[in-house]
Amino acid sequence: MKTIILSVAVFVFLLFNAVTQQIAQQADYSQQRAAAEKEYSQKSYQRANELYTQVDKSKLSATELRWVEFRLADTSWRAQAATQTFDTTKIDEARKQLAELIRAADKDVDRDLVWAEAHESLADSFWTSRNNLNWAAAWPHYEQALDWWAGQRDLERARARYLAIVFRAATPPIADQYYVYTNYGNYIPLTVLEDALKISTNANDRSQLNFLIAMTMRYTGGGDIAARQRTPDYFEEALKAGKQSPWYDDALFYYAEWLNNTGPMVEVQGTWQPQPDYVKAVELFRRLTTEFSAGETRYFEQAQAQIRYITTPAVSVSFMNIFLPDSELQFYLSARNVRRLDFTLYKIDLTRDITYNESTDKDEGTGEAGNWMQRMSTAGKEAVKTWSKNIDVADYKPVNEQARIDGKLPLGAYLLEATTDSGGINARDLLLVSDATVMLKSSGNQALVFFANALTSAPIANANVTLWENYYESSWRWRRVRQTTNADGIAQFPLREISGSRNLYVTASGNERQAFAAGNSYRTRDSEDWRIYAFTDRPAYRPKEMMQWKIIARRSGSGVYSTPANQVVAYQINDPRGTKVVDGKATLNSFGSAWGSLELGEQLPLGQYQIQFWDETRSHNIGSAALFRLEEYKLPEFKVQVRTPEQDGKKKAFRLGEQVEVDIQADYYFGGPVTNASVEVVVYQSPFYHYWFPRRDYPWYYEDIERQQRGYYGYGRGQVIKRETIKTDSTGKARLTFDSPRENYNQDFEFRIEARVVDSSRREIVSSDTVRVTRQRYYVYPRPERNIYRPQDKVGVDIKAMDANEQPVQTEGKVKVTRDYWWEIWVDPRGREVQGDELRRLQRAGSFPPATQQGQWQLKFRGYQHEDILTTTLKTDAEGVAHLNFT
């Protein structure tokens, strides 16, 4: 009985001792964690890492162990990123550890706090660490963390963490003083920003979120009318907090910029168009310069410049072409804040009236080119034609239009001058009416000019030619030379004996025909330069093979090449790391050649090898070349295929909002599936724009243009929206699913699904395929047989219906043919409307509107009129083709 009592007492004592030790250990860990988290909150990441390293992880629960493993990885990369080293080893290792913590709990039911924190830490490592700013890699992890916090019950904590992630994604801590949201491509989806706005309670937070939403709509709204209409509302909300919000000046400036450049959508003659609001823009710019001083906001000077740009009178005229005789003459007119323009046309001689230097009487002089048209004197020149035009100056709106010069002009060069009614602004441009052309060719010491008829190529003899040579000799100088063309229409000009580059300008005039051209010339000082061509007997070798190499050398001087026979060159072959493999000297034979060999050891690094050449004393570098590649190929044991879904035997195209399923299949080359294999799958998202081009007679000519228009250029690999590691089943198959964006994105997308597997030889095997997700099920393209028809011709139009994957679609729909024609209505001084044939007769008769004593003509309407011609129903066949015919 005593023995039993004693045993029970010992057991109770041991149990009490174990519980006491566990409580003590828990207390120790709690203290360690509290101390480490305090250091972490003060951004002492290295100290926090050291404290977490001291924790005895063998005594921790599974939950606490995951937390400690997370904090060790998190503090490791943050401490490394805070240093000035470029070594990313610790950061890369921390990312692997964080990714493993995510994979360990990647099922929905297992996703815990560590899972969300690890995603956020991974995102920060790509977005907030020095020399990174990799938005494409960061955003998928931020998105996962945001989704997790959105589902938590602790509302106050979840709200704070959700908003903190959004604001960090919008403005990285390492952004400089000139940073603007979206500078680094960090467009946060509107749905995320709108959700953040719904849960925010602080006025400054709401101001910033309204600003971020407005900026996102500003950049990504595209043709979405609803988004354009809501953009001003969000900007106005962002301004409500006033100067107490740090985003107030940003909102003022970019709201004004948006109104000045784009503006909200306005319905104009049945179509929605962006309409700038210059009055409101000026009001906002002035508000910024009034409420802030020069040192208070970085936008102060920009706002002042914009106010001047919008409100200051401005005029420009420009001719985009050279006109053949008897052509109708037109020019581009831009004007702003001017009520009336007076136009004058002067005839000029390009060979005499153009001056590039201050003293045009000297053959040489100094001075800058400037704008010769503005410096040209019109004193004593008789005006060929004069007329005036009234301009609409309301609301600072600019006028941009094509204007015509009534009547025809004889051959010659003319200066068009536009002057405001106050005479304060003067705009000029050159009008050339000619059937002649001048061609300029140059070498380092002479220029050759050919003056000829542009239509027949017949030379124009005895014409005056003037050449201006612009060169630098302690300062920029001008030299003018004159010649007369010979019987072949040619004039030769010796150039200055100087080295370097120069600009050349030439004008020619003969029999009232004039022309001009510009070019340049470059001359190098005489020197003996080397040219060395190095090559091997094949471009790539394996380790332990013999590499054979050869060089052919030439020297250039005084415009000719010579063979450097019996000369010695020094050389050095470097491996891909830049380390010397071998060096030596080679004596060139009578053909300027030399050769050698190199045994490629088994330990040499793989990659591209370079060779460098010097003269015999190694004092002068005379050339270098990529010599060969050292590669070692091992046959992979298995293959990986990405299989996108099919429907009715065709590749499936998805609609926005649908879930996409993709199968990855891994099989051994010798047969049989690769089971239980880890496959890393990365999904890239890019904008998709559908184009279709009909069959062409010479398709090779259009390949580059069509490839560019199909979107292959400009988008790169796309944005990573999902990265996941999945396992293959017993048949070697793994399935990936992801959600496509909702329809309110107003954008089609292409997703590239890339599966990566590393085999036993450490080679990465990559397979990929694409899936297109669009707003509509198919596209329809009409193509007329010709582009120009005469009245009563039979018009044929081919109609092609296809889905996003260029597969034909059999469908039925309506086709409408409309006619748009230009129409003007004028009101004469008696109040009668003039239009149609009567107006056309008056316009052809001479200057219009005609000058009268009774009063002025007024323009009542000018624009396109719309008329419905035909509406019918068509069906496309199995090839997606239908034909429309009408007269």
Side-chain angles (χ1 to χ4, degrees), residues 724-793:
E724 187 174 334
T725 300
I726 54 181
K727 297 280 190 179
T728 57
D729 59 17
S730 59
T731 64
K733 181 186 295 184
R735 174 162 292 179
L736 173 75
T737 61
F738 62 91
D739 295 324
S740 64
R742 288 174 285 184
E743 290 188 18
N744 59 0
Y745 271 72
N746 194 42
Q747 174 69 60
D748 296 339
F749 295 95
E750 181 176 80
F751 296 89
R752 184 165 61 86
I753 299 93
E754 188 176 87
R756 305 171 179 174
V757 180
V758 179
D759 66 7
S760 58
S761 65
R762 296 179 290 112
R763 300 289 177 100
E764 186 177 63
I765 303 171
V766 179
S767 179
S768 65
D769 201 357
T770 58
V771 169
R772 290 168 180 172
V773 180
T774 59
R775 290 162 291 179
Q776 58 205 61
R777 191 169 64 86
Y778 59 87
Y779 303 82
V780 179
Y781 296 95
R783 297 281 171 148
E785 295 172 356
R786 301 200 309 272
N787 291 325
I788 299 178
Y789 290 86
R790 293 182 180 276
Q792 301 306 311
D793 279 355

Side-chain angles (χ1 to χ4, degrees), residues 13 90 108 126 135 154 181 226 230 246 280 302 336 348 403 458 479 653 686 709 794 810 812 817 855:
F13 172 76
K90 287 187 177 180
D108 290 346
F126 289 112
W135 174 253
D154 186 346
Y181 169 61
R230 298 200 312 272
K280 179 71 172 178
Q302 295 180 62
R336 193 175 204 172
I348 61 173
R479 174 173 176 259
S686 299
Q709 289 182 325
K794 297 291 184 182
Q810 194 167 6
E812 178 180 337
V817 181

Side-chain angles (χ1 to χ4, degrees), residues 296-507:
E296 286 185 298
T297 174
R298 56 177 168 164
Y299 304 113
F300 188 85
E301 288 79 10
Q302 295 180 62
Q304 286 183 321
Q306 289 285 17
I307 293 170
R308 288 194 298 269
Y309 177 75
I310 298 173
T311 61
T312 302
V315 179
S316 71
V317 292
S318 60
F319 292 93
M320 305 303 294
N321 300 292
I322 295 172
F323 298 90
L324 288 170
D326 296 325
S327 296
E328 292 192 6
L329 309 174
Q330 62 182 17
F331 62 95
Y332 287 93
L333 169 65
S334 295
R336 193 175 204 172
N337 302 317
V338 295
R339 296 186 177 277
R340 196 187 76 174
L341 286 174
D342 297 319
F343 296 93
T344 308
L345 203 61
Y346 300 98
K347 191 167 186 179
I348 61 173
D349 187 331
L350 294 175
T351 62
R352 292 197 308 265
D353 293 338
I354 295 177
T355 59
Y356 282 112
N357 37 292
E358 296 174 0
S359 178
T360 57
D361 296 328
K362 298 179 181 179
D363 285 339
E364 290 191 38
T366 61
E368 297 182 358
N371 188 338
W372 62 266
M373 277 183 288
Q374 293 300 322
R375 293 204 312 271
M376 182 181 292
S377 173
T378 58
K381 293 187 180 296
E382 184 179 351
V384 176
K385 188 182 288 286
T386 61
W387 70 99
S388 300
K389 181 180 180 64
N390 293 324
I391 307 293
D392 181 8
V393 297
D395 300 334
Y396 309 116
K397 290 181 180 178
V399 173
N400 297 287
E401 62 180 38
Q402 284 190 3
R404 290 191 176 186
I405 299 176
D406 293 332
K408 308 293 175 62
L409 291 174
L411 288 167
Y414 301 87
L415 181 70
L416 174 64
E417 182 177 76
T419 310
T420 60
D421 50 355
S422 62
I425 299 179
N426 175 298
R428 293 175 167 186
D429 200 20
L430 173 67
L431 166 61
L432 197 58
V433 180
S434 178
D435 57 3
T437 185
V438 64
M439 284 169 281
L440 171 67
K441 286 184 68 69
S442 63
S443 64
N445 53 19
Q446 70 172 338
L448 183 71
V449 175
F450 176 54
F451 190 39
N453 188 297
L455 302 178
T456 66
S457 299
I460 300 176
N462 301 315
N464 296 321
V465 181
T466 301
L467 177 81
W468 287 268
E469 185 180 3
N470 180 217
Y471 58 93
Y472 189 83
E473 199 172 60
S474 72
S475 63
W476 282 104
R477 298 173 178 269
W478 288 90
R479 174 173 176 259
R480 182 177 61 183
V481 189
R482 293 189 177 95
Q483 292 271 12
T484 302
T485 57
N486 60 19
D488 297 321
I490 291 175
Q492 284 183 294
F493 295 88
L495 300 179
R496 292 273 299 180
E497 293 287 335
I498 59 172
S499 62
S501 63
R502 73 198 80 191
N503 299 313
L504 302 175
Y505 304 88
V506 62
T507 61

Side-chain angles (χ1 to χ4, degrees), residues 49-99:
N49 183 271
E50 293 170 357
L51 291 173
Y52 271 114
T53 304
Q54 297 170 10
V55 172
D56 184 359
K57 293 187 284 188
S58 64
K59 307 297 184 180
L60 299 179
S61 65
T63 301
E64 290 297 344
L65 179 60
R66 273 177 58 78
W67 177 261
V68 172
E69 294 290 355
F70 157 68
R71 267 297 187 241
L72 286 171
D74 179 60
T75 54
S76 174
W77 80 256
R78 293 186 190 275
Q80 182 75 355
T83 67
Q84 296 299 314
T85 179
F86 287 91
D87 184 5
T88 62
T89 304
K90 287 187 177 180
I91 297 176
D92 295 338
E93 184 60 35
R95 286 173 179 163
K96 291 179 182 178
Q97 294 167 359
L98 292 168

